Amino acid sequence: MNVVDKVPNLLGFTPEQLTDHLTARGVDVPLDEARRVLAHAISLRPDSTERRRPVRASVLKAVADHTRLERLEVVERVTDPVDNFCKYLLRSPDGALTEAVRIPLHKEGCFTVCLSSQVGCAMGCAFCATGRLGLTRNLQAWEMVSAFKAVRDEAPGRVTGAVFMGQGEPFHNYDEVIQAARVLSNPCGGRIRMENITISTVGLVPQIRRYTREGHRFRLIVSLTSAVAERRRTLLPVAGRFPLTEVADAIREYALSRGERATVAWVVMGGLNTGDDEVAELKRLLSDVPLRINLIDVNESRPDGFVRASDEELSAFRDRLQVLGVPVVRRYSGGRERHAACGMLAATRFGEANSTART
């Protein structure tokens, strides 16, 4: 590890953590000045007209001496001409490539940012482009914050949300993802409300239970995609480690602890996971849990044989799901015209770049 790597990046701190970090090194920095430092570094856009309150030179020197301020480089931007989703290819200082996406919301002038949590992914989900890349390394919290800032600073409006649903399994990088979410939700960080930050998982049961115990107020989505055990193991290899009954129990604990609906995601694949058997098993596993089901179309252009369900098949599936008596929402899959799936843009350059970033 290079010496500079041992110096923490400023973008990965909350104000309280920055104060503690500097105090431990013999520098007394009041919390209000730590807030100003981080506001200047993270929360204020370059074009912001908000007044920038001054910070003492001695504090700036202490920050410069005991932290570093590297940012991800924007390598490429690809905007879909149909829906205006904008995908960013980003390079870390070690050359690793990851992606982020600027997503327009229904409220005009508002956006959310989809963030990656790893360089590649170890989960190997059969229908996922990132899964074919393999895992290179985890992203650090500051890299996720830097990705958010890169996208937000160019947004033609307000960024009001963030979702950890890009490359990687967020709960496979639990501590760094939670730290990034803390920074993004801080008034001196990303200024995103906690309930507007979403973390997705394919069903890592120990981490779901830890998340429940810790009482985080960010939103959680668990990707089920199939409630038929054998089929789910084929589609999501992680299901071989965590049986569906354990995943269901973890979802149940989470929903009860929150006193609200748990959200499950379902990647819909034509002729595969839309039948009566899926509904019957889903009812058996989770009929006593308040749910919200998000249906997501599988990406259309793919080499693995998975195809999108027809409108008729999808409509019939939604009708079958009504037996559960829960909200069923079809989530729009954006950026279809230009590298829609997570990992597709990075995959065009992944091999040579990320081979230098393995740890």
Side-chain angles (χ1 to χ4, degrees):
M1 178 181 288
N2 192 300
V3 174
V4 72
D5 294 332
K6 299 178 182 178
V7 179
N9 193 299
L10 184 63
L11 300 180
F13 285 102
T14 64
E16 294 78 9
Q17 291 167 338
L18 180 59
T19 296
D20 291 344
H21 175 71
L22 296 175
T23 298
R25 285 151 185 79
V27 183
D28 183 20
V29 175
L31 186 57
D32 68 321
E33 287 195 279
R35 288 179 177 134
R36 289 181 223 166
V37 167
L38 291 172
H40 293 175
I42 305 174
S43 66
L44 295 179
R45 290 171 55 141
D47 60 356
S48 173
T49 59
E50 187 174 330
R51 184 169 70 89
R52 297 173 186 259
R53 298 178 62 192
V55 179
R56 286 180 297 156
S58 61
V59 172
L60 294 177
K61 182 179 185 307
V63 171
D65 288 345
H66 299 291
T67 69
R68 73 187 199 277
L69 186 55
E70 290 178 294
R71 295 182 175 89
L72 302 192
E73 173 194 357
V74 177
V75 176
E76 187 177 355
R77 304 168 187 81
V78 177
T79 302
D80 190 288
V82 175
D83 54 30
N84 208 33
F85 276 57
C86 184
K87 179 166 281 190
Y88 284 69
L89 183 65
L90 303 160
R91 181 185 289 121
S92 292
D94 66 353
L97 297 175
T98 50
E99 300 172 358
V101 184
R102 187 184 71 217
I103 302 172
L105 300 178
H106 290 300
K107 185 177 180 180
E108 188 174 355
C110 291
F111 302 85
T112 195
V113 178
C114 181
L115 297 168
S116 296
S117 56
Q118 296 179 305
V119 184
C121 185
M123 297 298 105
C125 298
F127 50 86
C128 177
T130 305
R132 291 191 290 274
L133 300 179
L135 177 65
T136 298
R137 67 169 174 85
N138 288 331
L139 289 178
Q140 297 178 46
W142 77 264
E143 291 175 291
M144 294 175 251
V145 173
S146 183
F148 172 87
K149 181 173 169 56
V151 177
R152 184 210 59 190
D153 286 354
E154 295 183 359
R158 292 176 56 229
V159 171
T160 59
V163 294
F164 291 89
M165 298 178 70
Q167 284 179 269
E169 160 55 52
F171 274 3
H172 194 206
N173 187 18
Y174 185 97
D175 291 327
E176 294 294 322
V177 167
I178 294 298
Q179 176 61 19
R182 288 190 180 112
V183 175
L184 293 180
S185 62
N186 194 279
C188 302
R191 297 183 176 181
I192 304 297
R193 297 177 63 179
M194 287 187 181
E195 59 267 32
N196 289 342
I197 295 176
T198 300
I199 301 173
S200 175
T201 178
V202 294
L204 302 191
V205 171
Q207 287 88 335
I208 295 173
R209 288 178 168 151
R210 176 183 172 187
Y211 186 86
T212 299
R213 288 195 309 271
E214 292 175 351
H216 298 292
R217 299 311 299 173
F218 315 114
R219 291 179 178 174
L220 179 65
I221 293 180
V222 180
S223 180
L224 279 184
T225 295
S226 176
V228 177
E230 184 176 351
R231 183 177 297 142
R232 190 169 192 269
R233 282 194 297 271
T234 300
L235 295 172
L236 290 83
V238 71
R241 293 168 52 201
F242 305 113
L244 264 170
T245 52
E246 293 185 14
V247 176
D249 286 343
I251 292 172
R252 184 176 292 104
E253 291 168 13
Y254 170 78
L256 292 175
S257 74
R258 302 271 290 204
E260 60 187 49
R261 295 184 186 278
T263 300
V264 297
W266 198 280
V267 179
V268 181
M269 287 163 272
L272 185 62
N273 62 343
T274 61
D276 291 330
D277 56 343
E278 293 286 2
V279 177
E281 285 300 295
L282 190 56
K283 183 178 180 181
R284 183 182 67 83
L285 287 166
L286 291 168
S287 61
D288 61 332
V289 180
L291 292 179
R292 176 181 294 103
I293 302 175
N294 286 354
L295 303 181
I296 304 169
D297 293 325
V298 72
N299 185 61
E300 291 177 282
S301 302
R302 39 193 325 116
D304 49 27
F306 296 110
V307 296
R308 289 182 63 202
S310 66
D311 289 342
E312 293 77 11
E313 182 180 357
L314 185 59
S315 178
F317 184 46
R318 292 186 69 170
D319 288 344
R320 293 188 187 102
L321 289 171
Q322 297 309 308
V323 70
L324 298 173
V326 303
V328 179
V329 180
R330 183 181 184 183
R331 291 299 180 191
Y332 177 71
S333 299
R336 292 177 183 171
E337 298 300 316
R338 302 295 302 273
H339 303 296
C342 293
M344 282 191 167
L345 187 58
T348 63
R349 307 190 185 194
F350 186 88
E352 68 278 5
N354 288 338
S355 63
T356 65
R358 294 186 182 275
T359 58

